[in-house]
Amino acid sequence: MRAACRSMLQVLAVALGLTAVAAAVANPPERQEREALRVCADGNNLPFSNQAGEGFENRIAELMAEDLGVPLTYVWAPQVMGFVRNTLELRVCDVMIGVVAGYDFVQNTNPYYRSVYALVVREDSELDAARLSDPVFAGRRIGVVAETPPLVPLRRTGARVQGYPLMVDTRVRAPVRDAIADVAEGVTDGAVLWGPLAGYYAARQDPPLKVVPLVDDDSDATLDYRITMGVRRGEPHWKDWINDFIERRQGEIDAILREYDVPLLDRRGRLLDTDEGDGA
């Protein structure tokens, strides 16, 4: 009987040991030294990022790498379903530069900017609205990305919604760019799009389109969002370093965002003037 008990205890000890080893492999201790800034990014997703380094998230990543004093490297993947699982969770990269606050699949840093959905119209358009509840939308053809917050209130006001897909392989399709082109060509009367996308693409039309940030919207839709960086859970020191970086270099971050025509809001949700700072 004693021999059997000893055998069972030995088996249990081995099993517990193997469990501990597996847990250590699955959740290794946080790295204290970094030989490179390894960024998880979409390689064809302007104005955020692309493989040529032309996006504002590329520029912010360069600023971070300079601050860390290490080289900048990327792991490129289309930002579709499974992006976090195939990049950050596999530990092939260490940070996502743009993540909406509250996103459940990562640990969020402090926000480094705040923006809002915006109406995009031609400069000569009669469509002048600062709220999605405005009856002027009734009967108008308005471009909206599928499953985004403006969709329901626009339908409620009687707009004729022109939909564009949300989840796409950015190597193949660019729905927001298509939505902006449709406004410029008169296919639609306007579009209501996420501010950074609206501002960037509208400014690059010839002639540029008018962008109206919907800061005064009174519908029940949530249109403004704080944007953070995303890191793995269990990495408090890395999160603290990024928070410190954001605080120290917020002015430079804001300047980069303005170069890309991102509508920036202050902490109270008010639109910032171009010469103001502290957009998070």
Side-chain angles (χ1 to χ4, degrees), residues 193-239:
L193 304 165
W194 173 229
L197 294 164
Y200 178 80
Y201 284 112
R204 284 151 184 80
Q205 293 295 311
D206 187 17
L209 301 176
K210 181 180 178 181
V211 178
V212 183
L214 298 173
V215 292
D216 295 323
D217 183 65
D218 58 0
S219 73
D220 57 0
T222 301
L223 299 183
D224 75 86
Y225 293 88
R226 293 175 173 84
I227 304 302
T228 73
M229 300 188 196
V231 300
R232 284 180 291 274
R233 292 184 176 86
E235 297 188 344
H237 297 295
W238 182 219
K239 176 184 174 181

Side-chain angles (χ1 to χ4, degrees), residues 30 34 107-110 229 231-232 235-246:
E30 182 177 6
R34 297 182 185 275
Q107 178 181 206
N108 295 104
T109 67
N110 293 339
M229 300 188 196
V231 300
R232 284 180 291 274
E235 297 188 344
H237 297 295
W238 182 219
K239 176 184 174 181
D240 288 346
W241 184 90
I242 296 175
N243 285 340
D244 178 68
F245 163 80
I246 292 169

Side-chain angles (χ1 to χ4, degrees), residues 59-80:
R59 296 273 302 280
I60 293 168
E62 291 168 8
L63 202 63
M64 291 177 68
E66 170 200 294
D67 202 287
L68 276 168
V70 297
L72 171 61
T73 64
Y74 287 97
V75 170
W76 303 110
Q79 200 158 351
V80 294

Side-chain angles (χ1 to χ4, degrees), residues 5-274:
C5 288
R6 281 197 300 269
S7 297
M8 290 177 63
L9 289 172
Q10 289 170 352
V11 170
L12 180 60
V14 170
L16 290 172
L18 290 174
T19 301
V21 170
V25 171
N27 300 290
E30 182 177 6
R31 299 168 61 191
Q32 299 301 315
E33 299 293 332
R34 297 182 185 275
E35 58 278 0
L37 175 63
R38 305 186 306 166
V39 175
C40 324
D42 191 317
N44 190 29
N45 193 29
L46 288 177
F48 307 105
S49 61
N50 70 1
Q51 292 192 40
E54 297 170 326
F56 66 75
E57 291 181 3
N58 296 112
R59 296 273 302 280
I60 293 168
E62 291 168 8
L63 202 63
M64 291 177 68
E66 170 200 294
D67 202 287
L68 276 168
V70 297
L72 171 61
T73 64
Y74 287 97
V75 170
W76 303 110
Q79 200 158 351
V80 294
M81 190 174 297
F83 179 80
V84 175
R85 181 177 63 250
N86 295 327
T87 57
L88 200 65
E89 289 184 0
L90 287 181
R91 298 182 177 273
V92 295
C93 47
D94 301 312
V95 62
M96 296 167 60
I97 301 297
V99 179
V100 67
Y103 185 58
D104 289 337
F105 294 95
V106 301
Q107 178 181 206
N108 295 104
T109 67
N110 293 339
Y112 68 94
Y113 77 96
R114 182 178 180 179
S115 192
V116 64
Y117 275 79
L119 171 66
V120 180
V121 294
R122 293 177 298 282
E123 280 288 351
D124 60 354
S125 174
E126 297 177 356
L127 181 57
D128 184 15
R131 297 172 176 83
L132 296 182
S133 59
D134 196 316
V136 73
F137 283 112
R140 305 274 189 167
R141 185 172 292 280
I142 305 297
V144 183
V145 174
E147 301 179 47
T148 57
L151 182 61
V152 172
L154 281 170
R155 282 180 172 164
R156 191 181 296 135
T157 54
R160 296 160 57 210
V161 171
Q162 173 68 49
Y164 300 85
L166 174 63
M167 300 296 288
V168 298
D169 186 335
T170 54
R171 296 168 296 187
V172 179
R173 298 194 63 179
V176 170
R177 190 169 59 203
D178 294 342
I180 292 287
D182 284 348
V183 175
E185 294 166 11
V187 176
T188 56
D189 297 300
V192 179
L193 304 165
W194 173 229
L197 294 164
Y200 178 80
Y201 284 112
R204 284 151 184 80
Q205 293 295 311
D206 187 17
L209 301 176
K210 181 180 178 181
V211 178
V212 183
L214 298 173
V215 292
D216 295 323
D217 183 65
D218 58 0
S219 73
D220 57 0
T222 301
L223 299 183
D224 75 86
Y225 293 88
R226 293 175 173 84
I227 304 302
T228 73
M229 300 188 196
V231 300
R232 284 180 291 274
R233 292 184 176 86
E235 297 188 344
H237 297 295
W238 182 219
K239 176 184 174 181
D240 288 346
W241 184 90
I242 296 175
N243 285 340
D244 178 68
F245 163 80
I246 292 169
E247 183 176 0
R248 288 186 290 105
R249 308 197 72 163
Q250 185 69 64
E252 293 163 272
I253 293 171
D254 288 348
I256 291 170
L257 294 168
R258 289 195 178 92
E259 286 184 42
Y260 288 77
D261 300 287
V262 176
L264 295 176
L265 306 185
D266 65 15
R267 297 179 187 276
R268 296 183 180 180
R270 299 173 302 192
L271 193 66
L272 283 171
D273 294 331
T274 56

